[in-house]
Amino acid sequence: MRKISLLYYFVLLAPLCVVHASPPPGPVGRTCESFDGAWRFDRFGPMPDGSTRPEPAGLEKSTLDDSAWRELNLPHDWGIEGPFRAELPNNTGKLPWAGIGWYRKALTLDTNDVGSRIFLDFDGAMSQPKIYVNGSLAGEWVYGYSSFRVEITDFVKFDGPNLIAVRLDNPAESSRWYPGGGLYRHVRLVKTLPVHVAHWGVFVHTPDVSRDVADIVVETTVENQSVQPADVIVRQELVAPDSEVVLATVETKIPGLKANAKGLASARLTLKQPARWDVDSPRMHRMRTIILADGSEVDRVETPFGIRKIEWNPQTGFLLNDRVLRLQGVCNHHDLGALGAAFNERAAERQLEILREMGCNAIRTSHNPPAPQLLDLCDRMGFVVLDELFDCWRIGKAPGDYSQYFDAWHERDVVNLVRRDRNHPSVILWSTGNEIREQKDEGHNHDLSRQLTGLFHREDPTRKVTSGMNNAESMTNGFAQTVDVAGYNYRAITGKKPNYLDHIRANPDQPFFGAETASTVSSRGVYYFPVSRRKDSGAFRFQVSSYDLYAPPWAYTPDVDFDSADRLPALAGEFVWTGFDYLGEPTPYNQDKTNLLNFQNEAERAAMEAEMARLGGRVPSRSSYFGIVDLAGFPKDRYYLYQSRWRPDLPVAHLVPHWTWPGREGEITPVQLYTSGDEAELFLNGRSFGRKKKGEREYRLRWDDVRYEAGELKAVTYKQGQPWAESIRRTAGPAVALKLEADRVEIHADGRDLSFVTVKVVDAHGEVVPGADQLVHFTVAGPAEIAGMDNGDATSLRSFQGSEMKAFSGQCLVILRSRAGRPGTVELNARIELLPAANVQITAVQSSLP
């Protein structure tokens, strides 16, 4: 076996499709192409303006004239286009996502495709998709988060154009958060010969891995859709990371595979000195599967995978490649802020980059299957993933949710999730559900949980299964034992009873972790005085103070979870609710009422009630306050508390609050410091407020007696007696300029790539002005468009799709999207009244991506 240097390997889509750019006459092997472009779209039922538009009959027919319909490319989320409407429920984002949508697209085949099998692969469709081909129903699904395939071979014609039509129905009250609406993930057109690898038919796993050797098992399901038997040979080629070097080859025979039947080929390869996949070195191999039927090659598929070993241990938690890896994870919903539910690879990558800088190493896909490309990114970037399927089973949580379809569809959804995602090394655990209401009742409900666990094991015997359990009874009534690993929501030691200690006593042989933790709430850059230490205070004016002390009744601050981790080596780690803010569920202002009515005085209460009256009795909040990072992608103060904990070797120092408080001269303004050091001294205008050392299980330093005076607040931190890091807050002067910063100044001209531009309102010294909330106007010159904009303000009902956005706590965000096939220089211009205009330039370069 040839030895090579194993380098980093990037894969965007899994499994890879082999695309033939210029196919020869007659049917060829597998081709796979994007089917995202040039759809026509229209809406019916509830409309964005509140009216109702009847759905006419015949929208699936080829003869329908759709020339007046809107033309667009996928992924597309019709709900994010808005407008925000104050009267809509804020638990699902105050956006008009409910309704019926139709998408239509022409497909032209020719005689070269005769004899091929033709498929459409949908990564997700929200929701209840029905797929029509030339007026006939070719397939359907129910769950809007599931990926699925529809074969259209028997419905197409090869001597003229075909019409593909997709009907989607998003019922109102079908979700607990913002679900989006539309063909919001990618669609692909796949063609194969009759004998081919079945859909998601390659399963690669590594049952035995060490530093010295790895056993690799590959199981391939081959489908024969021809009219006669075939002698099949399955050749597997193990390809090294970042190269085309074949490290090992093995062949398996399936003699006489019957017509309209499937066969399974299983092979084992051994690799010495394997390049293992790890969070610190996410090296990806490929398994190239080549199918020969009656001596001729008929199909080939490349499957990215990672060589790694995972283990769950009741004493030490989670192990990756024989070392304990503490899960420093976050839960995330599927929306991408101002882009909504429409999946974009760069937007998801940016989120992961921000989380990785914080020290995050794990993602929980809450509470549904993610876009498959998110898992590709996690594979490539070195995150482990808790892959979750359901938010409910038979007992629902919303009137129109999945519970009404569970009995008929749940097995198909389990199969599709597992077969789609089982080759991702990042996936370390399956979750059957979140806060399932069947936790309480024993007997049949527990049998159902065991059945679901068994379905996951049937489809993937290599990984364990969990469920996010919030009910106290689950520890002792047997529900926890229906899964392999216990995932608990809000059960920290000092948080509430029962807690993790009760689990250890009741289930000493079962690994466990925090499936959902903290749920601290805050608004970026917002602070209220006097500072209360009560967790149910801090909520005023539809915002929540960013002192990171406040949480709903069921939740608590990050410090509580840190304490549990320090006390319990068996605790595998945590998934914080949430990494990013998301649309909907704006606790404590959710469900159009306030949970935390602790206002400073009657004037505060009167102001809030007046604002609600202006909005027809509704709370204005449209997005969550849970995020460690706000909806625009700007870190809140809590980000640095987690960073100081999760990256102990990084010099971290972050002072709370900002230091621009006109009118508060001489008033008590408590100061907090988040640092990875163990000691710090605080200075205000050069005057020391004392040096403090962290006590046992103390995770932030506090100076509660500081009285505000304008100037410089400075913290000098130490670690083991040596200087470590500094944090400085300066009083900002009047706003004099705008400052624009692009996260990337070069993007691909492919119509998908994005540049995220942060817009700051600054004073004469370049300091962000914390109270700046002016309206910023934007224009774009060059081959790009504004894909979205936001400011992180959960109460803002300004459109994400416009050309202006108010600053919030001194900042806002503009997302630029390239135009396909149009390279060149792009200039974003920003203007505020009475301030000089500002701009930033980026370059769109010709893309070679498919």
Side-chain angles (χ1 to χ4, degrees):
M1 184 177 299
R2 182 181 175 188
K3 291 185 178 180
I4 63 168
S5 175
L6 298 175
L7 303 176
Y8 180 75
Y9 180 69
F10 166 65
V11 177
L12 182 61
L13 296 175
L16 288 181
C17 296
V18 178
V19 179
H20 298 267
S22 300
V28 296
R30 177 181 301 259
T31 66
C32 176
E33 60 188 76
S34 172
F35 207 60
D36 286 346
W39 288 81
R40 290 193 177 274
F41 167 73
D42 209 350
R43 277 188 73 171
F44 305 92
M47 297 299 287
D49 63 1
S51 64
T52 299
R53 184 185 181 195
E55 179 189 18
L59 297 180
E60 76 281 6
K61 296 186 180 300
S62 303
T63 54
L64 177 77
D65 180 6
D66 59 13
S67 59
W69 288 25
R70 175 181 166 195
E71 186 170 342
L72 52 77
N73 297 327
L74 308 180
H76 171 238
D77 173 12
W78 73 56
I80 201 63
E81 297 170 358
F84 285 105
R85 300 207 330 253
E87 75 275 13
L88 289 177
N90 66 357
N91 66 309
T92 55
K94 289 188 176 290
L95 284 164
W97 53 267
I100 296 168
W102 279 86
Y103 294 81
R104 291 165 55 93
K105 178 180 169 72
L107 167 64
T108 300
L109 303 169
D110 57 37
T111 54
N112 288 336
D113 295 312
V114 175
S116 294
R117 312 303 296 188
I118 315 296
F119 307 91
L120 289 175
D121 287 354
F122 293 82
D123 285 346
M126 190 64 70
S127 60
Q128 301 181 34
K130 295 181 182 294
I131 293 83
Y132 297 87
V133 180
N134 296 326
S136 296
L137 181 65
E140 61 184 313
W141 209 261
V142 169
Y143 196 26
Y145 295 103
S146 280
S147 297
F148 62 96
R149 164 172 282 186
V150 173
E151 181 167 4
I152 62 174
T153 310
D154 296 338
F155 301 91
V156 298
K157 53 190 176 182
F158 298 91
D159 56 355
N162 298 275
L163 191 281
I164 311 298
V166 181
R167 182 187 189 269
L168 300 172
D169 185 0
N170 253 14
E173 297 186 289
S174 60
S175 180
R176 297 194 297 121
W177 56 82
Y178 176 76
L183 292 177
Y184 72 113
R185 292 177 180 170
H186 294 297
V187 181
R188 288 174 297 281
L189 175 68
V190 180
K191 305 172 188 176
T192 72
L193 292 180
V195 179
H196 56 267
V197 175
H199 192 211
W200 299 317
V202 179
F203 179 24
V204 187
H205 52 99
T206 54
D208 192 8
V209 176
S210 69
R211 186 185 302 273
D212 300 322
V213 66
D215 284 337
I216 303 166
V217 173
V218 53
E219 301 171 36
T220 304
T221 301
V222 180
E223 187 169 11
N224 181 5
Q225 289 187 281
S226 67
V227 295
Q228 57 190 13
D231 290 324
V232 175
I233 295 176
V234 181
R235 179 184 301 149
Q236 307 289 0
E237 296 179 350
L238 175 60
V239 184
D242 198 32
S243 79
E244 291 300 318
V245 174
V246 176
L247 301 175
T249 302
V250 65
E251 289 188 353
T252 308
K253 295 180 179 180
I254 309 178
L257 179 59
K258 294 181 180 179
N260 297 312
K262 295 180 181 179
L264 179 66
S266 183
R268 183 180 294 265
L269 303 92
T270 300
L271 182 63
K272 294 183 178 179
Q273 304 300 316
R276 293 180 294 180
W277 185 94
D278 206 298
V279 291
D280 299 323
S281 55
R283 290 170 287 192
M284 297 290 292
H285 290 72
R286 286 173 289 154
M287 188 64 69
R288 181 179 297 143
T289 302
I290 302 169
I291 306 299
L292 296 94
D294 299 324
S296 298
E297 181 178 328
V298 293
D299 197 10
R300 83 170 43 200
V301 170
E302 290 195 345
T303 304
F305 75 100
I307 297 173
R308 55 97 173 105
K309 178 181 179 182
I310 60 174
E311 179 185 356
W312 292 88
N313 184 290
Q315 281 76 47
T316 57
F318 174 70
L319 291 85
L320 177 61
N321 296 327
D322 297 313
R323 68 180 177 89
V324 174
L325 179 69
R326 183 61 63 94
L327 299 176
Q328 299 174 170
V330 300
C331 305
N332 268 348
H333 270 308
H334 74 303
D335 76 70
L336 294 169
L339 300 177
F343 187 80
N344 179 278
E345 284 84 348
R346 173 54 198 159
E349 181 182 49
R350 173 183 178 250
Q351 286 195 344
L352 292 175
E353 288 171 349
I354 292 168
L355 292 171
R356 180 172 59 187
E357 181 65 21
M358 182 178 69
C360 175
N361 62 17
I363 303 294
R364 179 189 181 200
T365 67
S366 314
H367 302 293
N368 44 260
Q373 294 79 21
L374 177 66
L375 300 181
D376 296 331
L377 289 167
C378 289
D379 289 344
R380 174 170 68 88
M381 299 175 69
F383 287 83
V384 296
V385 176
L386 166 55
D387 204 346
E388 192 153 80
L389 182 54
F390 297 128
D391 187 51
C392 67
W393 298 344
R394 292 186 178 121
I395 305 175
K397 299 176 181 178
D401 65 15
Y402 183 81
S403 60
Q404 60 192 309
Y405 309 109
F406 179 85
D407 282 333
W409 283 89
H410 73 269
E411 182 170 357
R412 283 175 279 186
D413 284 315
V414 170
V415 169
N416 278 23
L417 174 71
V418 177
R419 293 186 184 179
R420 188 195 73 173
D421 294 349
R422 60 189 176 181
N423 292 310
H424 289 281
S426 57
V427 176
I428 61 169
L429 194 63
W430 305 111
S431 173
T432 61
N434 168 69
E435 299 185 352
I436 298 301
R437 292 187 172 176
E438 285 87 343
Q439 294 171 75
K440 290 185 178 181
D441 301 320
E442 299 182 31
H444 183 64
N445 285 334
H446 286 197
D447 290 340
L448 176 57
S449 182
R450 292 187 190 93
Q451 175 196 352
L452 284 167
T453 298
L455 284 174
F456 275 95
H457 286 165
R458 184 192 73 188
E459 296 299 317
D460 174 21
T462 74
R463 293 177 178 86
K464 294 189 181 298
V465 178
T466 190
S467 184
M469 296 176 284
N470 67 315
N471 191 279
E473 298 174 19
S474 62
M475 288 185 182
T476 55
N477 72 0
F479 188 88
Q481 291 296 321
T482 67
V483 295
D484 306 310
V485 180
Y488 292 117
N489 296 5
Y490 313 105
R491 293 294 159 192
I493 294 176
T494 57
K496 60 171 69 176
K497 295 283 280 183
N499 57 43
Y500 295 140
L501 293 176
D502 297 282
H503 166 84
I504 293 172
R505 284 189 284 267
N507 309 289
D509 298 323
Q510 185 180 34
F512 68 101
F513 67 100
E516 197 170 305
T517 65
S519 275
T520 305
V521 286
S522 65
S523 304
R524 176 183 55 82
V526 173
Y527 309 89
Y528 294 117
F529 304 97
V531 175
S532 170
R533 301 295 180 198
R534 287 174 48 197
K535 76 171 186 176
D536 62 345
S537 62
F540 311 101
R541 304 175 189 174
F542 306 108
Q543 304 291 353
V544 183
S545 179
S546 193
Y547 269 97
D548 300 329
L549 299 167
Y550 311 111
W554 71 85
Y556 33 77
T557 64
D559 317 57
V560 175
D561 289 297
F562 298 163
D563 174 80
S564 290
D566 284 344
R567 292 172 186 259
L568 299 175
L571 177 63
E574 65 171 315
F575 291 86
V576 181
W577 191 264
T578 55
F580 278 71
D581 276 331
Y582 55 94
L583 291 163
E585 293 190 322
T587 305
Y589 304 108
N590 56 330
Q591 300 175 13
D592 301 323
K593 64 178 181 291
T594 56
N595 289 344
L596 306 178
L597 286 172
N598 291 290
F599 296 99
Q600 286 287 308
N601 50 51
E602 288 303 315
E604 289 274 9
R605 185 183 298 274
M608 188 195 100
E609 291 174 347
E611 176 65 7
M612 289 178 62
R614 187 181 71 82
L615 297 173
R618 303 281 183 150
V619 172
S621 306
R622 44 75 166 161
S623 56
S624 75
Y625 300 81
F626 292 117
I628 300 170
V629 182
D630 75 14
L631 199 69
F634 301 142
K636 302 180 187 178
D637 291 305
R638 256 181 297 143
Y639 181 93
Y640 303 97
L641 179 56
Y642 282 101
Q643 188 182 62
S644 69
R645 166 73 178 187
W646 287 352
R647 299 189 66 183
D649 296 330
L650 180 73
V652 176
H654 178 80
L655 281 166
V656 180
H658 65 70
W659 209 244
T660 303
W661 298 106
R664 284 194 56 80
E665 293 286 344
E667 295 191 28
I668 293 289
T669 307
V671 173
Q672 296 185 159
L673 176 68
Y674 305 152
T675 180
S676 51
D678 51 36
E679 196 172 0
E681 187 170 7
L682 181 70
F683 299 89
L684 176 56
N685 293 325
R687 185 172 70 259
S688 175
F689 275 73
R691 185 160 166 166
K692 294 194 174 186
K693 190 177 182 67
K694 288 181 183 176
E696 185 179 12
R697 301 190 188 91
E698 187 177 10
Y699 307 101
R700 60 179 97 186
L701 293 173
R702 296 173 174 148
W703 289 264
D704 292 331
D705 57 346
V706 179
R707 294 184 180 273
Y708 175 73
E709 61 182 53
E712 180 184 270
L713 185 71
K714 179 179 179 179
V716 178
T717 71
Y718 303 85
K719 193 163 189 173
Q720 297 178 349
Q722 300 300 312
W724 183 243
E726 293 185 359
S727 177
I728 297 175
R729 296 278 200 176
R730 295 185 178 92
T731 303
V736 300
L738 290 173
K739 184 178 181 181
L740 277 60
E741 300 172 345
D743 72 329
R744 293 187 306 155
V745 296
E746 185 174 286
I747 61 176
H748 292 290
D750 58 6
R752 303 188 299 267
D753 206 2
L754 305 174
S755 180
F756 290 81
V757 181
T758 299
V759 181
K760 300 178 179 180
V761 184
V762 299
D763 69 4
H765 300 286
E767 297 280 343
V768 172
V769 180
D773 61 356
Q774 297 98 318
L775 186 63
V776 190
H777 304 268
F778 298 98
T779 57
V780 179
E785 61 185 344
I786 295 176
M789 55 179 60
D790 191 18
N791 57 12
D793 179 3
T795 69
S796 173
L797 300 184
R798 191 173 295 274
S799 172
F800 292 139
Q801 306 282 310
S803 60
E804 57 187 29
M805 179 60 62
K806 290 188 71 173
F808 177 66
S809 295
Q811 296 187 113
C812 62
L813 177 79
V814 176
I815 307 169
L816 293 176
R817 179 171 53 218
S818 66
R819 294 188 182 274
R822 293 179 57 185
T825 301
V826 178
E827 183 173 281
L828 175 66
N829 295 281
R831 177 177 52 84
I832 284 182
E833 188 175 355
L834 303 179
L835 294 184
N839 66 75
V840 66
Q841 289 188 347
I842 67 171
T843 302
V845 298
Q846 191 64 52
S847 174
S848 60
L849 295 176

